[in-house]
Amino acid sequence: MTILTSFSEKEFEQVAGVPIKGEEEAQVSMFIDFVQEAIQFCFVQSDIEGTGCSLRYLSIDIHPFKDMGDLYELAYLDFNTILETPKEPKETVKVELPVIEEGVGRISEVAKILGIPSSEPAHAILAFFRIRLAHKVLENTLDFNSIKTVIRGTKDSMTVLKKKGLHPENMGGVLDTQETVRMSEVWGLENDPPEEMPQFFIFD
């Protein structure tokens, strides 16, 4: 089947890094890549959250480190407006996305994760595209020498995470107690952290 979705030309150029070209086939191919990346991210994030952990951005250029939030907080992604389409037709890009039957089920599955009606696959596709746009904006605006993506959770949730193999080697983690889950300050790699302070570590 084919799913038709619309979004702004400016958004496509932000994600693609190049101006819109006349070759529709190349446009569709790039768009499919963007959507697949966003779908994969949603599945990974959902799997991590299913263990009781969360995927966060951590600023390490200050001390104590600071939890800056997740992708949606940092990129100001609002699920009340994520499905808005441009008001000016001349600024709109329309893409017909070829999707196999298995792909429709996958789209519906991720739509449920995001709380988007799975009966409207075009809406879900638009949301996936804007999630990839949010990633692109952060890639271009954040200094990833001083900001790291980390998995945050309690000892019990981290145990579940490790059993499921959801922690990449050398990725940062933040270990919480039940009392520190909402604290934004995170102690670094020092051996003598204050009591009741979330602690940073590296997955091995």
Side-chain angles (χ1 to χ4, degrees):
M1 68 176 287
T2 300
I3 300 173
L4 175 66
T5 192
S6 306
F7 47 91
S8 79
E9 185 176 309
K10 184 180 177 183
E11 285 178 326
F12 188 89
E13 291 179 0
Q14 273 184 284
V15 177
V18 293
I20 291 288
K21 301 291 184 187
E23 297 175 14
E24 190 174 329
E25 192 175 321
Q27 246 176 248
V28 170
S29 178
M30 272 197 288
F31 190 80
I32 290 171
D33 289 343
F34 303 149
V35 167
Q36 285 177 336
E37 286 172 26
I39 287 175
Q40 187 58 36
F41 167 78
C42 290
F43 273 127
V44 168
Q45 187 185 42
S46 177
D47 286 344
I48 289 171
E49 288 178 352
T51 68
C53 297
S54 57
L55 202 59
R56 314 285 291 181
Y57 286 87
L58 189 70
S59 173
I60 61 170
D61 65 345
I62 53 176
H63 195 80
F65 298 161
K66 188 170 179 62
D67 184 330
M68 300 173 64
D70 63 13
L71 171 74
Y72 305 121
E73 289 171 309
L74 273 179
Y76 302 104
L77 262 185
D78 181 351
F79 280 94
N80 295 313
T81 59
I82 199 170
L83 302 179
E84 286 182 355
T85 52
K87 294 182 175 64
E88 293 292 330
K90 64 180 181 180
E91 297 173 354
T92 302
V93 177
K94 293 186 178 179
V95 170
E96 289 189 0
L97 202 65
V99 181
I100 59 174
E101 191 173 333
E102 181 185 330
V104 175
R106 192 170 162 85
I107 289 166
S108 297
E109 195 178 340
V110 186
K112 286 176 187 172
I113 291 171
L114 297 175
I116 291 167
S118 54
S119 59
E120 296 287 348
H123 289 177
I125 292 290
L126 179 57
F128 301 152
F129 174 71
R130 289 199 164 129
I131 287 170
R132 181 64 190 106
L133 173 61
H135 273 119
K136 190 69 178 180
V137 168
L138 293 189
E139 285 167 14
N140 291 337
T141 56
L142 296 181
D143 176 7
F144 282 94
N145 291 315
S146 61
I147 293 171
K148 303 296 179 190
T149 311
V150 297
I151 297 175
R152 185 167 183 173
T154 62
K155 186 175 181 180
D156 289 346
S157 61
M158 288 288 185
T159 299
V160 177
L161 182 92
K162 287 184 175 182
K163 282 182 179 175
K164 292 195 170 187
L166 295 173
H167 63 291
E169 280 186 24
N170 300 319
M171 183 175 180
V174 174
L175 188 63
D176 275 299
T177 65
Q178 293 294 344
E179 291 72 31
T180 69
V181 177
R182 303 209 187 311
M183 289 177 69
S184 63
E185 291 188 335
V186 175
W187 199 254
L189 292 168
E190 290 80 356
N191 295 324
D192 191 23
E195 286 187 28
E196 296 304 321
M197 173 70 80
Q199 296 177 44
F200 176 77
F201 68 95
I202 305 288
F203 285 104
D204 54 25

